[in-house]
Amino acid sequence: DTAVSQTPKYLVTQMGNDKSIKCEQNLGHDTMYWYKQDSKKFLKIMFSYNNKELIINETVPNRFSPKSPDKAHLNLHINSLELGDSAVYFCASSQDEEDRYGYTFGSGTRLTVV
Amino acid sequence: GENVEQHPSTLSVQEGDSAVIKCTYSDSASNYFPWYKQELGKRPQLIIDIRSNVGEKKDQRIAVTLNKTAKHFSLHITETQPEDSAVYFCAASEGLTGGGNKLTFGTGTQLKVEL
């Protein structure tokens, strides 16, 4: 049973298109996140949601819109894709208790904009 | 906001040697410090973590130390093996008012264990 699953794993699309990435966790965690990993492997937070409420929106262009229909799902929709959006996008989740803060990451979605 | 610096960016060791990766953080409110291992094409995986009320933690061949006064923490891997080759990330975190915690990651260390 995959704990945090993302789809699709690979996404190749043209500039200007709109695309979505889906994420689901079956760990019962309270908080979910989107991180972007660029070509230099740097991991940067984009959004976090706690029980469907937006907690962090980290100066991400408004072409990126997260949606959390319930505690177990956090999707990412990207409008008008640009070349610079090419990266690996990781979904993650965590529990709120202080001794269980560690993130569990999904397997990532490699987005290539051509 | 939090800033985490990580050194070295690349580290090459002989099998059986020890490897040490160091990180510093800027925000004294950070209270949780995890380390992640990322193999090529895979997801980051939590390998060890430490909270600010603890100075040292060990799990088999890996250990983490934290100096809260100096705001630095380190990962120590002993008896390195080829399967330890990966990118290692440190991170610092504080809890968020709305729930969860925000991890700020270091820039990563590419560890290569040579036979």
Side-chain angles (χ1 to χ4, degrees):
Chain A
D1 245 3
T2 305
V4 181
S5 58
Q6 284 179 240
T7 53
K9 191 166 175 64
Y10 300 96
L11 192 49
V12 181
T13 188
Q14 291 189 324
M15 277 196 308
N17 283 351
D18 304 338
K19 290 293 177 186
S20 292
I21 306 171
K22 295 186 175 182
C23 180
E24 176 181 3
Q25 56 98 0
N26 62 6
L27 298 167
H29 285 172
D30 298 309
T31 306
M32 296 184 72
Y33 312 82
W34 280 110
Y35 273 76
K36 179 180 180 180
Q37 186 169 47
D38 62 22
S39 57
K40 295 185 178 178
K41 300 285 190 185
F42 186 60
L43 280 158
K44 183 166 169 53
I45 192 166
M46 300 172 69
F47 302 103
S48 80
Y49 269 77
N50 180 274
N51 281 314
K52 302 191 297 177
E53 297 289 326
L54 179 66
I55 304 299
I56 292 175
N57 182 343
E58 196 78 358
T59 61
V60 178
N62 57 16
R63 298 183 294 104
F64 291 78
S65 53
K67 280 191 172 56
S68 182
D70 56 55
K71 196 173 100 163
H73 296 84
L74 179 61
N75 304 322
L76 183 65
H77 188 76
I78 315 170
N79 289 326
S80 304
L81 278 155
E82 300 177 357
L83 291 177
D85 297 332
S86 295
V88 180
Y89 292 84
F90 284 101
C91 176
S93 69
S94 73
Q95 191 56 288
D96 279 358
E97 286 93 6
E98 284 197 10
D99 62 347
R100 295 175 62 189
Y101 262 174
Y103 287 8
T104 300
F105 282 91
S107 56
T109 296
R110 182 175 293 277
L111 171 65
T112 304
V113 183
V114 297
Chain B
E2 176 66 278
N3 182 49
V4 177
E5 295 191 357
Q6 183 172 346
H7 300 280
S9 57
T10 60
L11 180 58
S12 187
V13 299
Q14 294 291 315
E15 184 180 6
D17 286 351
S18 295
V20 180
I21 302 170
K22 298 182 178 183
C23 290
T24 60
Y25 63 99
S26 61
D27 190 344
S28 56
S30 289
N31 58 9
Y32 174 69
F33 306 91
W35 287 86
Y36 286 82
K37 175 183 180 182
Q38 187 177 26
E39 296 174 350
L40 189 63
K42 301 280 182 68
R43 73 191 78 194
Q45 292 201 296
L46 179 67
I47 55 171
I48 195 167
D49 55 14
I50 191 167
R51 302 205 66 84
S52 58
N53 58 351
V54 175
E56 186 173 353
K57 184 176 177 181
K58 190 173 180 181
D59 183 4
Q60 299 184 333
R61 295 186 299 107
I62 59 173
V64 58
T65 58
L66 171 65
N67 183 326
K68 202 178 169 190
T69 304
K71 297 202 194 91
H72 63 72
F73 56 115
S74 301
L75 177 72
H76 304 252
I77 306 173
T78 58
E79 301 170 24
T80 53
Q81 301 166 4
E83 51 266 38
D84 294 329
S85 296
V87 179
Y88 290 80
F89 293 95
C90 63
S93 160
E94 60 174 308
L96 298 168
T97 304
N101 63 108
K102 175 184 171 183
L103 283 184
T104 300
F105 285 85
T107 47
T109 296
Q110 175 73 63
L111 173 65
K112 184 177 180 183
V113 180
E114 297 174 332
L115 296 171

